[in-house]
């Protein structure tokens, strides 16, 4: 069945690489130890030595395979080299075109390449490059959203595109429970990728205030309000916090560059100031006006009722999907 392994893993469940550092070694190892695919988030700047430490710390917490996610929109060549040298199981790529050269180099190192795409054309490019699986992100997803299509329409098209090539399709966007998992399987996906649900776990590096908002709130909005200066033309889905609702119509020519500092944080070992309208979510080190910081979440956030251990999230998905199929759909 669809929950059985893809890419050599026990289960077809992927924990998204949550930025900028929310999916750290503790979360990734917990997911990996449960038989699913945990993915670290590489820094958005070149720091291969630090990334190597991050990978090796994760290896000290699990003897299971895991992955590293790299955003191609930021400097990444040295980080990519580090990932291949460390021979992690999966290289997850996002927000940029996957080339045949990258796939070839990864395969030479024994690393599988799994890009996340948001439209049919990008899926074609990825398939032609020889990738090992494709994450199809729907418009329902939280955080930065690269496409405009709903998951229910896009997944079957990509499934049909790659069916003859044996490339597994992984559905992402708004999936938080076994019902979303089974729905993705019905669309033809062989696995699911969850961000918000793993964000709301005990092991995620998100600030407790952020986690509590994921449980308390149920509405999201697709916007370009945050991080316009640092990452232009990168829309995202966020919680409709009171701060967001007050400032959501900020004129398009304004951005975080000249805004007041509302907090401070440490991200991947670097001390950073957080300005109003920055695209930086609060992690455990963050101090300041947390209520005025961006909080990414997918449309399925209203189904999250509690903070759980990551392994329990995986178990509920697997057992829930099996039960749902047996009770509701078995003949």
């Amino acid at each position: 069945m669809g929950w059985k392994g893809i890419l050599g893993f026990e289960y077809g469940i992927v924990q998204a690489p949550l930025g900028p550092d929310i999916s750290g070694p503790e979360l990734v190892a917990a997911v990996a130890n449960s038989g699913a695919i945990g993915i670290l988030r590489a820094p958005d700047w070149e720091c291969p030595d630090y990334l190597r430490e991050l990978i090796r710390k994760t290896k000290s917490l699990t003897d299971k395979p895991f992955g590293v996610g790299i955003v191609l929109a930021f400097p990444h060549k040295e980080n990519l080299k580090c990932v291949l040298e460390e021979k992690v199981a999966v290289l997850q790529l996002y927000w940029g075109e996957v080339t045949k050269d990258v796939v070839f180099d990864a395969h030479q190192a024994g690393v599988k390449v799994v890009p996340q795409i948001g439209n049919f054309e990008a899926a074609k490019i990825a398939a032609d490059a020889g990738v090992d699986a494709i994450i199809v992100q729907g418009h329902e997803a939280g955080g930065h959203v690269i496409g405009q299509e709903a998951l229910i329409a896009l997944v079957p098209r990509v499934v049909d595109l790659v069916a003859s090539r044996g490339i597994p399709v992984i559905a992402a966007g708004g999936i938080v429970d076994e019902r979303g998992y089974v729905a993705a399987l019905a669309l033809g996906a062989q696995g699911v990728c969850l961000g918000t649900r793993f964000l709301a776990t005990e092991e995620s590096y998100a600030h407790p205030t952020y986690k509590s908002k994921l449980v308390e709130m149920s509405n999201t909005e697709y916007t370009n309000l945050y991080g316009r200066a640092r990452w232009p033309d990168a829309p995202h889905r966020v919680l409709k916090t009171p701060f967001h609702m007050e400032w959501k119509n900020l004129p398009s020519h304004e951005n975080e560059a000249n805004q007041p500092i509302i907090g401070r944080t440490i991200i991947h070992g670097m001390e950073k100031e957080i300005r109003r309208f920055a695209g930086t979510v609060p992690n455990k080190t963050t101090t300041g006006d947390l209520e005025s910081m961006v909080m990414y979440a997918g449309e399925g956030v209203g189904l999250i009722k509690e903070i759980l251990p990551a392994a329990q999230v995986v178990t509920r998905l697997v057992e829930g999907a099996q039960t749902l199929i047996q009770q509701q759909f078995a003949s």
Side-chain angles (χ1 to χ4, degrees):
M1 299 299 291
W3 54 76
K4 291 302 180 183
I6 55 173
L7 302 173
F9 290 78
E10 186 175 356
Y11 299 127
I13 297 168
V14 181
Q15 163 254 304
L18 304 165
D21 62 349
I22 303 301
S23 58
E26 291 76 16
L27 175 58
V28 172
V31 172
N33 285 332
S34 69
I37 305 175
I39 304 182
L40 288 169
R41 175 68 143 75
D44 293 334
W45 58 89
E46 296 281 30
C47 53
D49 293 338
Y50 175 85
L51 180 56
R52 196 180 311 276
E53 291 178 12
L54 207 62
I55 293 169
R56 291 183 178 178
K57 181 177 180 181
T58 308
K59 288 179 178 178
S60 75
L61 299 174
T62 182
D63 59 359
K64 300 287 186 69
F66 59 91
V68 174
I70 291 177
V71 176
L72 298 173
F74 299 112
H76 60 270
K77 289 185 178 179
E78 293 304 313
N79 290 344
L80 176 58
K81 182 180 177 182
C82 168
V83 170
L84 301 189
E85 289 173 349
E86 289 296 314
K87 299 183 184 299
V88 301
V90 173
L91 168 64
Q92 192 268 357
L93 300 171
Y94 189 38
W95 216 277
E97 186 173 314
V98 182
T99 66
K100 292 181 179 180
D101 288 343
V102 167
V103 175
F104 177 82
D105 290 344
H107 286 172
Q108 288 294 104
V111 177
K112 291 170 178 159
V113 181
V114 182
Q116 179 166 279
I117 60 90
N119 58 64
F120 187 75
E121 291 70 26
K124 282 183 180 178
I125 293 170
D128 289 342
V131 301
D132 299 278
I134 296 174
I135 298 173
V136 176
Q137 184 195 49
H139 192 64
E140 305 92 334
H144 290 87
V145 183
I146 201 166
Q148 294 289 323
E149 296 182 59
L151 203 61
I152 196 169
L154 184 57
V155 167
R157 292 186 68 207
V158 177
V159 168
D160 291 346
L161 171 71
V162 301
S164 64
R165 309 193 198 195
I167 300 174
V169 171
I170 301 163
I175 300 169
V176 299
D177 64 11
E178 68 275 9
R179 292 169 294 182
Y181 192 175
V182 173
L185 297 178
L187 294 174
Q190 290 181 252
V192 288
C193 179
L194 292 80
T196 309
R197 178 61 271 190
F198 282 112
L199 176 61
T201 57
E202 293 178 0
E203 296 90 347
S204 96
Y205 201 54
H207 193 281
T209 296
Y210 186 6
K211 293 184 186 183
S212 69
K213 295 294 184 186
L214 296 171
V215 174
E216 295 167 9
M217 305 189 72
S218 58
N219 294 318
T220 66
E221 185 162 82
Y222 179 75
T223 181
N224 71 343
L225 176 60
Y226 304 96
R228 293 172 179 172
R230 176 177 171 271
W231 193 357
D233 302 315
H236 34 271
R237 184 173 299 282
V238 305
L239 287 176
K240 284 187 174 182
T241 61
F243 173 84
H244 175 76
M245 298 308 292
E246 178 183 357
W247 292 95
K248 59 182 290 186
N249 295 318
L250 187 76
S252 59
H253 67 274
E254 296 189 30
N255 58 51
E256 71 273 23
N258 61 353
Q259 293 294 315
I261 295 168
I262 61 170
R264 287 176 168 77
T265 190
I266 299 173
I267 300 173
H268 288 307
M270 299 279 287
E271 293 187 12
K272 294 181 177 290
E273 297 173 337
I274 299 178
R275 294 185 180 273
R276 188 169 59 190
F277 309 130
T280 305
V281 298
N283 67 19
K284 285 185 178 179
T285 72
T286 305
T287 58
D289 184 6
L290 300 172
E291 301 281 343
S292 298
M293 295 178 188
V294 64
M295 296 184 185
Y296 302 128
E299 286 188 348
V301 68
L303 296 170
I304 296 174
K305 305 302 182 184
E306 58 187 328
I307 306 302
L308 296 172
Q312 195 169 338
V313 170
V314 175
T315 299
R316 286 189 178 188
L317 283 166
V318 173
E319 294 181 355
Q322 292 171 333
T323 300
L324 184 59
I325 289 174
Q326 291 165 1
Q327 293 183 351
Q328 299 293 328
F329 303 109
S331 60

